[in-house]
Each structure stands twice: as C-alpha cells, then as structure tokens.
C-alpha cells in the first residue's frame, strides 16, 4: 500500500516540476520545425526501407529467386542507383 502512495507522490513531483518544462520545450519553434520535417519525410523513408528489404532480402530463398531473375533485381535496385 505504501508503494502506491509513493508512486502518487512521485507523479505529483513529475507533474509539478517536469511538465511545465516539457510544455515550454514542446512550444519551441525550432523543435516544432524539426518535428514537422521528420513527420513529413517519414513516409518516404519507410517506402525506401521497404524497397531495400525487397531488393536485398534477408531470406536465402528470396535471394535465390531474385538471382534467377536479374532483370527484376535490377528494377528493384533503381531507387538506390547513384
């Protein structure tokens, strides 16, 4: 029972001291810009990761299937061509 009371006291300290500090940081315009940029580019990063997994699969049987069809493997690697 004392741990529940201690936990409530700990949460009170967090709410009183850390919450206002966190709110000030969350309203910082530079951090908001960084957050918005990450959110905007995340779908592209995930799509690129999906193509990377398909083009270079971690499964041996998948890799063998791509080796048997080099034209498909070449097309899947187009997004990574430099």
């Amino acid at each position: 029972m004392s741990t529940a009371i201690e936990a409530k006291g700990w949460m009170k300290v967090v709410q009183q001291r850390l919450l206002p500090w966190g709110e000030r940081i969350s309203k910082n315009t530079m951090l908001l810009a960084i957050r918005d940029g990450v959110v905007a580019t995340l779908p592209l990063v995930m799509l690129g990761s999906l193509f990377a997994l398909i083009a270079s699969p971690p499964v041996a049987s998948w890799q063998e299937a791509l080796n048997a069809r080099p034209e498909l493997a070449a097309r899947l690697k187009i997004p990574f061509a430099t």
Side-chain angles (χ1 to χ4, degrees):
M1 184 93 173
S2 65
T3 56
I5 294 170
E6 290 172 7
K8 287 182 183 179
W10 183 78
M11 287 303 293
K12 193 173 188 178
V13 170
V14 168
Q15 288 176 349
Q16 289 176 348
R17 296 194 180 174
L18 293 180
L19 195 59
W21 185 73
E23 287 179 10
R24 280 193 304 255
I25 287 177
S26 71
K27 293 178 183 176
N28 185 320
T29 54
M30 288 184 270
L31 292 177
L32 287 172
I34 292 170
R35 183 199 65 192
D36 292 343
V38 168
V39 167
T41 58
L42 190 60
L44 297 174
V45 170
M46 292 184 71
L47 185 63
S49 299
L50 181 65
F51 272 103
L53 279 174
I54 293 172
S56 301
V59 180
S61 60
W62 238 7
Q63 188 66 41
E64 291 170 6
L66 280 177
N67 290 341
R69 299 181 67 190
E71 69 283 349
L72 177 62
R75 286 186 182 178
L76 288 173
K77 292 181 182 179
I78 288 174
F80 309 106
T82 58

